[in-house]
Amino acid sequence: MITTSDIFTISSQKQFEKIALKVFRFQHENNKVYRDFCDFLKVNPQQVKSLQQIPFLPIQFFKSHEVVSNNDFAQVTFTSSGTTGMITSRHLVTDVTLYEESYRKGFSQFYGNIEDYVVLALLPSYLEREGSSLIYMVDDLIKLSNQPESGFYLHNYGELTQKLIELDNSGQNVILIGVTYALLDLIEKHQFNLQNTIIMETGGMKGKRKEMIREELHEQLCKGFGVSSIHSEYGMTELLAQAYSLGEGVFECPSWMNILIRDPEDALTYVKDGKTGGINVIDLANINSCSFIATQDLGKKNPNNSFEVLGRFDNSDIRGCNLMVL
């Protein structure tokens, strides 16, 4: 039996691998979609002894199947963003407290106590639809901050500009979480010189602007907000965990999340650190769904287990919570 305590108290790579293998066997037994996928690959779960031997479910399965590892009703269904007519991903979450514990502990691991911050959110394209896991998370963080100034902004850039300047000048720690195109819209209307504010972009132009490489984007945002670095969040509809970058586009995972980089030409083999390939995510918080997901993102892993997101596979659709296409 795997408990939430097992997942959220991991303190070493050896412990991570031990629990990941337990989760793999649990999901192979209880998740029909995942078991059928493993059977198609002729994988015997008893012969799987390392992370590299675990099959990773292609993320597209969330568009065509209900990927669940129990028979419980979904407490919430998260959906990906997409253009009209596009088939979107559906993540059936049967225990939303796992998601809440994951993002709360993840935020704390990288940023400390949420009550130390005013949380401002500029996420218009997410607010304008239902089923966004990002909105669910940010709304909860806003409430947990216990700061009356925290809140969402839709298209009211003037009010947000005034609030940012007032809070920053007062010495208050602020986190502005924004979708990429809206952050660019904001700095086109006003140039800032912020001293106490973290700018965190969640990626995505949503068809509003031309995609940009990260270096160009972050250079513009740094200049426009007057900050030395841009933070980023790497998460997606199909996951319950998020990785964070505190600058330079280098992401680190919470202790219950890990990244493997697969060979772009052979999905069942892995490339060495520093080499570009497809990003495979292990998210142990996703125990009631699938913890082993092959994304459509391209990236590379560094020797210290941090990683970078370099773009997307050419044949994949551009979708929410992903970074820029090269």
Side-chain angles (χ1 to χ4, degrees), residues 28 31-43 54-58 61 268 292 294:
H28 183 275
N31 186 325
K32 184 181 185 305
V33 172
Y34 185 54
R35 182 171 64 251
D36 288 349
F37 176 69
C38 292
D39 290 347
F40 177 78
L41 295 178
K42 296 181 170 54
V43 172
I54 294 175
F56 283 75
L57 187 74
F61 274 70
L268 301 181
F292 311 97

Side-chain angles (χ1 to χ4, degrees), residues 6-18:
D6 293 331
I7 293 168
F8 294 118
T9 58
I10 291 171
S11 59
S12 68
Q13 181 61 26
K14 184 177 180 180
Q15 187 182 10
F16 180 93
E17 186 154 346
K18 180 180 179 181

Side-chain angles (χ1 to χ4, degrees), residues 139-155:
D139 182 56
D140 190 49
L141 292 176
I142 285 171
K143 292 171 182 173
L144 290 172
S145 74
N146 284 327
Q147 301 275 3
E149 306 282 4
S150 294
F152 285 97
Y153 289 81
L154 193 55
H155 301 295

Side-chain angles (χ1 to χ4, degrees), residues 196-311:
N196 301 294
T197 300
I198 292 170
I199 307 298
M200 182 186 295
E201 55 99 359
T202 66
M205 292 298 189
K206 306 298 180 189
K208 306 283 187 179
R209 287 172 174 261
K210 179 175 68 72
E211 297 291 333
M212 301 165 63
I213 62 171
R214 178 186 57 78
E215 290 82 0
E216 181 186 0
L217 169 66
H218 284 202
E219 182 180 355
Q220 283 193 27
L221 292 176
C222 282
K223 182 179 179 182
F225 285 107
V227 296
S228 59
S229 63
I230 300 298
H231 293 219
S232 304
E233 177 258 359
Y234 181 78
M236 54 191 70
T237 300
E238 301 83 357
L239 300 177
L240 296 186
Q242 301 80 31
Y244 289 99
S245 166
L246 307 190
E248 305 300 323
V250 178
F251 290 89
E252 294 187 26
C253 296
S255 57
W256 53 93
M257 180 182 183
N258 214 326
I259 300 292
L260 299 176
I261 305 295
R262 68 183 184 272
D263 189 324
E265 303 296 330
D266 180 359
L268 301 181
T269 62
Y270 295 92
V271 300
K272 294 179 180 179
D273 289 347
K275 299 290 186 181
T276 299
I279 295 178
N280 284 1
V281 177
I282 302 175
D283 174 11
L284 299 183
N286 225 8
I287 187 168
N288 293 324
S289 177
C290 183
S291 291
F292 311 97
I293 295 175
T295 77
Q296 286 291 79
D297 294 327
L298 287 166
K300 65 179 181 180
K301 192 170 182 179
N302 301 318
N304 65 352
N305 279 333
S306 64
F307 69 100
E308 298 173 46
V309 182
L310 303 176

